[in-house]
Amino acid sequence: MKEVRADIHVNDVWRDWMREVLEQVRFRPDHKDIQKELLAHLEDGRADLVRLGYPRDLAEERALQAMGDAKTVGQALDQAHRPWLGWLWLASRALAVLALVWTLWAVWGNGLPDVREWIEPSSTWESEYGYADNVSCPPPFQAGAYTVTVDHAYFDRGFLYIEMTAETPKFWLGPPGLDNLEAVDSRGVRYGRENASIMGQSTFHGHIRHKLHIFGYNLAEDPAWIEIRHKTAGWSFRLDLSQGEEGAP
């Protein structure tokens, strides 16, 4: 058992008695509370006897005698603190805390996770805007905590549409931001949000998978490739627009 706190006066006889009691109790997480309860009973008994005029030493001895045999008391406490009941109680407390966190998350956070979206392969998602793919998609790339896959890419007459899936095991994160994008094409022409040329948006699908969209307007009509960059996060990827082949990262 853990020793009684040093700032509490306990004589050696009381200490040995409580140690023997606790040796009978198998559920150790309850030992500290049981020890406090036993000590409180002993101190109350001693205080009552002192008020009746008993010397302190004799009052401590009689208070301990009134508590009974240590082994018998310990066996009774072991029945009241059975291990399976104790672990069940601890588990129920943990589940209650998780339920509270889950509820708060649902009310003030991003909503409850959609389990279907957790397990649904991103390859089954259809293009939300209905553009027919005419550009080959590059390999998946890493963007901070996310693995990003380009699912659909369409380019025609200076208009670019890209649809991507961002996945992360860190379920507490929201979708990655797309508010600081820029692009550069094979001719060295740069495009950014300030001239309404490259814009991104996120569609929230689940707590580990998110759908992302990038739109490009008023681009050059026949570049060989275009590279999309996130100016603050540092990630980038390239689309080969000349022959529909995968571009270099």
Side-chain angles (χ1 to χ4, degrees), residues 140-218:
F141 61 92
Q142 201 66 28
Y146 305 89
T147 299
V148 180
T149 303
V150 178
D151 300 315
H152 304 281
Y154 173 83
F155 181 75
D156 183 48
R157 299 178 183 179
F159 171 72
L160 176 68
Y161 171 70
I162 305 170
E163 188 170 310
M164 307 185 297
T165 300
E167 298 179 274
T168 177
K170 298 180 179 181
F171 60 87
W172 57 90
L173 296 178
L178 295 176
D179 55 352
N180 206 5
L181 295 177
E182 66 177 4
V184 61
D185 66 18
S186 56
R187 297 178 178 180
V189 180
R190 294 184 179 274
Y191 310 94
R193 187 180 179 91
E194 61 275 4
N195 56 12
S197 293
I198 295 293
M199 296 181 293
Q201 68 180 31
S202 303
T203 303
F204 190 73
H205 272 271
H207 286 269
I208 62 172
R209 184 175 294 120
H210 313 275
K211 185 73 75 173
L212 313 176
H213 310 272
I214 295 176
F215 300 89
Y217 302 94
N218 302 318

Side-chain angles (χ1 to χ4, degrees), residues 3-186:
E3 293 296 330
V4 179
R5 294 201 326 261
D7 60 331
I8 299 177
H9 171 72
V10 179
N11 65 43
D12 291 340
V13 178
W14 281 15
R15 191 185 305 274
D16 292 342
W17 182 85
M18 286 191 290
R19 181 180 293 108
E20 186 176 355
V21 169
L22 291 177
E23 285 175 353
Q24 316 305 315
V25 181
R26 293 167 291 172
F27 189 62
R28 296 187 66 83
D30 280 355
H31 280 198
K32 186 176 180 179
D33 290 337
I34 293 173
Q35 180 177 272
K36 289 181 179 179
E37 183 178 355
L38 294 174
L39 182 59
H41 283 302
L42 287 166
E43 289 178 334
D44 288 344
R46 178 182 63 193
D48 290 341
L49 293 172
V50 168
R51 282 195 294 270
L52 293 174
Y54 281 73
R56 182 183 178 88
D57 290 346
L58 182 58
E60 290 180 349
E61 179 183 343
R62 295 293 174 84
L64 184 60
Q65 290 175 353
M67 294 290 288
D69 176 68
K71 188 173 183 179
T72 302
V73 173
Q75 290 172 346
L77 288 171
D78 180 62
Q79 292 298 308
H81 297 263
R82 293 180 180 179
W84 71 270
L85 285 174
W87 291 118
L88 181 61
W89 166 242
L90 291 179
S92 66
R93 290 176 59 185
L95 289 174
V97 171
L98 288 175
L100 176 60
V101 172
W102 196 273
T103 301
L104 293 176
W105 190 9
V107 175
W108 287 290
N110 292 321
L112 291 176
D114 186 338
V115 177
R116 180 181 61 84
E117 295 292 353
W118 280 21
I119 62 177
E120 180 182 13
S122 58
S123 60
T124 65
W125 294 0
E126 299 296 333
S127 175
E128 295 185 6
Y129 286 82
Y131 295 109
D133 295 1
N134 63 0
V135 176
S136 294
C137 299
F141 61 92
Q142 201 66 28
Y146 305 89
T147 299
V148 180
T149 303
V150 178
D151 300 315
H152 304 281
Y154 173 83
F155 181 75
D156 183 48
R157 299 178 183 179
F159 171 72
L160 176 68
Y161 171 70
I162 305 170
E163 188 170 310
M164 307 185 297
T165 300
E167 298 179 274
T168 177
K170 298 180 179 181
F171 60 87
W172 57 90
L173 296 178
L178 295 176
D179 55 352
N180 206 5
L181 295 177
E182 66 177 4
V184 61
D185 66 18
S186 56

